[in-house]
Every structure is written in C-alpha cells, then in structure tokens.
Amino acid sequence: MRGGGPQAGAVRVGTRLPPLEIEITRTLIVAGAIASRDYQDVHHDPESARRKGSPDIFMNILTTNGLVGRYVTDHFGPNAVLRKVAVRLGAPNRPGDTMVLTGTVEEADGETVTVGVVGSNGIGRHVTGTVTLTLPGWGAG
Amino acid sequence: MIRHWCEVMGDTNPAYTGPDAIAPPTMLQVWTMGGLSGHAGRTEAFDELLGLLDEAGCTSVVATDCEQEYLRPLRPGDEVTFDAVIESVSDRKRTKLGTGYFVTTRMDVPVAGEPVGIHRFRILKYAPAPGGTGARRPRPVINRDNAGFWEGVARHRLLIQRCSGCGTPRFPWLPGCGACGSPDWDTVEAGGEGTVYSYVVVHHPPFPAFDPPYAVGLIALAEGVRIVADVVGVPCDKVRIGMPVRLEFHRYDEELQLPVFRPLDGDGRSGEPIGHGEEPG
C-alpha cells in the first residue's frame, strides 16, 4: 500500500508538520510505562514520586520516544522508515497537562529526511528531538 | 506487546499490523527492559556504578536523553539480545533538579549476531535540590548588638565596627572593644577585597537546604578583620589559602541574603552551567 504521506517533492526544508495535541492523562502515563515494561514507581505511584521530589507521576522517556515516532510517521505515512530518533527531555509530562508536538523538516536529501520535533506542555519544553527517516523510492531525482 | 504499544501511542500505522508486521522502531529499548523481575545474569558493573552514586547522595534518577539508530526493522519472532557499555560518567554537574552525574550507556542490539539497532541512553543520577523540599537555611539571630550588621547586609553593605576610643576594627559585631574596652563605636564599610585566610570543605552532615560538598572560607578583609562566609563560583576543591576574593551578596530566599566571596582570578568562573534535565522527565 502506498500513500498516506506527502508526495515526492513535497518534502522541503522548512515544511512544518501539523501540530498534534496529546492529553497527558494519568492513564496514558501508566499505560505507556506498562507497555514499555518500565515499572519505575515514579511512573505509576504518586506517593513514591512525591518522596523523590516530583509533585506527581510523570511520563517515561520510552513513551515520549514512541509518541515522537508516531507523530512523524503519521505525517510521512507507512512507507516512511525510521532510521534515527534522538530525544532530550526537559519539563516533565504530568497528569492533567497537554503536550503539543510540532515538527519542521530540517534536511531533505534524496530519500532521507530529517525532522526537528518539539513537544511543549504547560510548564515548558518536554522534549526536543531529531528524527531521521527515509522515504523509499522518493526524491532520487 | 506491539499491539499494546500502538494502542497506547495511538499509532495506527498499518506497517505494525498484519502478517508482515514490523515492530515500531521506537520500541527498541522496550525489548531490552527487564520488567518486574529484572534481568538475571548481567554483569554487576552498572549496578555497582549506581550503588556508588547512591552512596554519594545521588539517590534520584531521571532519564534525559535517548538516541536510537534502527539498522533494520524488527519482526515478531526475532530474538533480541543486547550488549551494554557504560560510555561515560560526567563530572558532578549542577542542574535545576540538584547536583549529580550524567551517565551515558550504549546498547548494541543484535538478532542472531546481526546488528539491528543501537540505543544510547543518558540518565542523570542526582541528589534532589533542597529547594524543592521547602527546606530553608537557618535564620540569623538578630539582636541589639548585631542589628546594624544585618541592616547593612540588606543594603548590600558589609559594615565593620570600629572602636571610637582606639580605632581598632572588630568583627563580628560585639558590644565593646576587645583592645581598650570602650563601648563606643562607629562603622566602616568594607571595600570588598579580601583573601582566603583559611577554609573548610563541608561534606557531612548533609543539612537540609545545604548542598555538600561546599567551601566555607575564613576571609581576611583588607580592613584587617576576618569573616566566615561561603566561597562561591569555584569548585570547592579549588579553594586555596591566600586566594584573592571579592565580596558579593547572595540571595538564598525571599528574606535571606548573605555576604559571600568569589575568587578574582581565572579560577573564579561562575560555576557549572545549569545542565539540561531541568526537571524530571
């Protein structure tokens, strides 16, 4: 199956991906931790999180990584192949917040596209990242 | 696991379903997780490192960076192994969360000997910043004999008493002159120049609102008296007797300001930059 993503030539440096809003619910944080087999108590137990200096539980980095990957492949479609995902965390994603993911194409070299991604929440930048993907068969000319 | 992951992420990418499904590449680390029971049979190096950092007071941990390279897609049935290497441990860094060490590990992930992914991961192992717990420094005891000193501090002036009888400067503030016994005095404002006459580095005990190790200096002021104050802007193990320092005032909270001293020379850089990992992530 082809399609679902931008057509060849549509990927230009500076292209902005449509923003994606993610509601940071307690359920999402816990479900993400469990789906990633991360049983660190700060991702599911508010009491433990408070003892460790955080006012509440917070999203784990694996979930953030997954959301960043999804954000980019949602845009480029099922033929896009992720090659590299690098994320750096800042302000934590805590329950009740909303994270807005935005992305900008930073490089487009033949089949290879690099996208800068930022996820902002109510207290700052939760994540800044760089995603490198290839779009097979595209942009060769 | 792939279905659960996609459900949580809201990821409807058709590449992850059906008979030819691949695993979402961003799951790379998931395949290496020990789960509730942990991994058996791993070398102890990493646990040993974490234990050492725990002993150094850095009992909290937060992930700060994850860099993954995907060399080929993983599919159901692939049997993943991994080799982990501790790539680096930073110097002690001051961050908004507290001071601690960045530990970077690299995992090479092969399937049947064929490399399929590289996972580089950085955590901050830190001692939580005291500010977050609401702990505050002890308050000074202000009385009739020393109130003038603290009024000066509030106006960023370091005031030294001077005997009206014999002219001898004295510090800390006292009701009478130790040289001639006169109860009369006026003040002179310290110009701010001084040298480290002596110092200690406090490692223990870790009082709330203090962040060991830190250096406390006995500073000889140009005016001929000595004052006990923090030496800032220089790693505590770089403080030396004779080091020229200059007065400044540091605000610790909304009501507490104290005179502190900062080295004048090239060692007097303004401390470690605030690192990333501003807050837990």
Side-chain angles (χ1 to χ4, degrees):
Chain A
M1 169 180 138
R2 288 235 160 216
Q7 295 307 300
V11 181
R12 297 192 188 285
V13 172
T15 301
R16 285 167 196 266
L17 279 60
L20 174 66
E21 275 192 22
I22 307 223
E23 298 296 325
I24 310 300
T25 62
R26 195 169 291 278
T27 306
L28 175 63
I29 293 169
V30 174
I34 304 302
S36 54
R37 290 169 59 74
D38 183 348
Y39 297 94
Q40 294 283 333
D41 53 15
V42 291
H43 304 309
H44 64 260
D45 180 349
E47 266 313 306
S48 297
R50 276 192 280 278
R51 271 201 302 279
K52 290 175 180 171
S54 173
D56 206 334
I57 61 167
F58 53 92
M59 182 178 281
N60 73 345
I61 194 168
L62 293 90
T63 304
T64 300
N65 206 41
L67 291 172
V68 167
R70 171 208 153 185
Y71 175 58
V72 172
T73 52
D74 271 2
H75 181 71
F76 288 97
N79 296 312
V81 179
L82 291 177
R83 299 295 181 186
K84 288 184 198 171
V85 174
V87 295
R88 167 165 292 186
L89 296 193
N93 268 344
R94 296 197 198 106
D97 210 336
T98 301
M99 175 170 71
V100 181
L101 287 164
T102 54
T104 306
V105 175
E106 290 178 345
E107 287 171 44
D109 179 16
E111 294 185 341
T112 304
V113 176
T114 305
V115 182
V117 176
V118 173
S120 300
N121 61 25
I123 47 176
R125 279 190 175 190
H126 168 66
V127 58
T128 49
T130 305
V131 177
T132 307
L133 61 150
T134 49
L135 304 172
W138 288 4
Chain B
M1 279 178 65
I2 292 173
R3 279 197 303 274
H4 286 166
W5 171 273
C6 289
E7 189 181 10
V8 172
M9 299 302 153
D11 198 331
T12 56
N13 191 335
Y16 308 145
T17 60
D20 297 326
I22 62 166
T26 52
M27 286 185 80
L28 184 63
Q29 186 185 2
V30 178
W31 310 118
T32 71
M33 297 292 277
L36 267 180
S37 46
H39 287 296
R42 293 189 69 188
T43 62
E44 288 165 4
F46 192 65
D47 291 338
E48 208 173 294
L49 172 62
L50 296 185
L52 286 170
L53 295 175
D54 279 337
E55 283 170 30
C58 298
T59 51
S60 293
V61 64
V62 63
T64 61
D65 295 80
C66 172
E67 298 165 17
Q68 299 182 331
E69 270 181 68
Y70 315 112
L71 306 176
R72 76 139 165 95
L74 286 167
R75 297 172 189 282
D78 280 339
E79 198 162 320
V80 168
T81 57
F82 62 93
D83 293 310
V85 176
I86 299 166
E87 269 198 342
S88 65
V89 180
S90 76
D91 293 334
R92 194 172 179 116
K93 301 281 187 186
R94 193 174 292 277
T95 76
K96 284 182 186 171
L97 284 172
T99 62
Y101 301 83
F102 289 96
V103 178
T104 306
T105 52
R106 174 194 158 113
M107 278 186 190
D108 293 306
V109 183
V111 169
E114 176 204 2
V116 297
I118 299 162
H119 169 64
R120 186 175 279 112
F121 201 63
R122 189 166 301 123
I123 59 170
L124 172 65
K125 193 78 176 122
Y126 66 100
T133 61
R136 301 204 307 170
R137 289 195 169 221
R139 307 290 102 175
V141 177
I142 300 175
N143 55 36
R144 276 184 302 176
D145 292 326
N146 68 10
F149 168 74
W150 291 106
E151 285 162 18
V153 168
R155 289 178 287 131
H156 287 193
R157 298 174 67 195
L158 179 54
L159 298 179
I160 299 163
Q161 274 180 313
R162 179 174 55 194
C163 175
S164 304
C166 68
T168 304
R170 64 175 186 263
F171 193 92
W173 283 37
L174 290 166
C177 177
C180 73
S182 167
D184 300 322
W185 51 271
D186 61 3
T187 60
V188 287
E189 181 180 352
E193 307 301 326
T195 54
V196 176
Y197 183 81
S198 185
Y199 67 96
V200 293
V201 175
V202 179
H203 293 272
H204 196 78
F207 291 110
F210 290 81
D211 185 20
Y214 56 92
V216 180
L218 179 61
I219 308 299
L221 295 178
E223 288 77 14
V225 295
R226 296 175 197 149
I227 175 174
V228 174
D230 281 5
V231 181
V232 303
V234 59
C236 59
D237 60 353
K238 296 288 190 290
V239 176
R240 291 291 179 270
I241 287 170
M243 183 179 254
V245 290
R246 178 159 189 84
L247 168 71
E248 56 185 68
F249 289 87
H250 182 74
R251 177 174 285 285
Y252 289 91
D253 54 51
E254 68 282 1
E255 63 183 23
L256 182 66
Q257 296 186 83
L258 292 175
V260 297
F261 289 84
R262 182 183 294 271
L264 285 179
D265 57 18
D267 287 329
R269 63 204 170 90
S270 57
E272 293 288 352
I274 298 296
H276 48 252
E278 306 166 46
E279 291 210 52

